[in-house]
Amino acid sequence: MTLIGAYGSGAPYYGRTTNMDKWTDPLPWLLPLDLVMIAAVLALIYRNRRRHG
């Protein structure tokens, strides 16, 4: 979902390409953010299983 939010859906129509000279790739910021969130979710799952298992 973060990739769709960052890159958008569909082809780059005129309104999306007018400022392409100012565009920066969001992937270097999205990957660490996603990895942190995945680690947090896995830690919560692990903690929950140890507590109830």
Side-chain angles (χ1 to χ4, degrees), residues 43-53:
L44 287 173
I45 290 171
Y46 176 74
R47 188 184 80 179
N48 213 11
R49 283 191 177 186
R50 286 198 69 183
R51 184 179 291 176
H52 296 293

Side-chain angles (χ1 to χ4, degrees), residues 10-30:
Y13 299 108
Y14 174 75
R16 295 183 184 181
T17 59
T18 53
N19 290 325
M20 286 301 285
D21 58 332
K22 298 175 187 80
W23 185 82
T24 58
D25 190 13
L27 200 56
W29 294 102
L30 290 177

Side-chain angles (χ1 to χ4, degrees), residues 2-7 25-36:
T2 56
L3 289 176
I4 292 172
Y7 287 105
D25 190 13
L27 200 56
W29 294 102
L30 290 177
L31 286 178
L33 179 66
D34 286 346
L35 291 176
V36 167

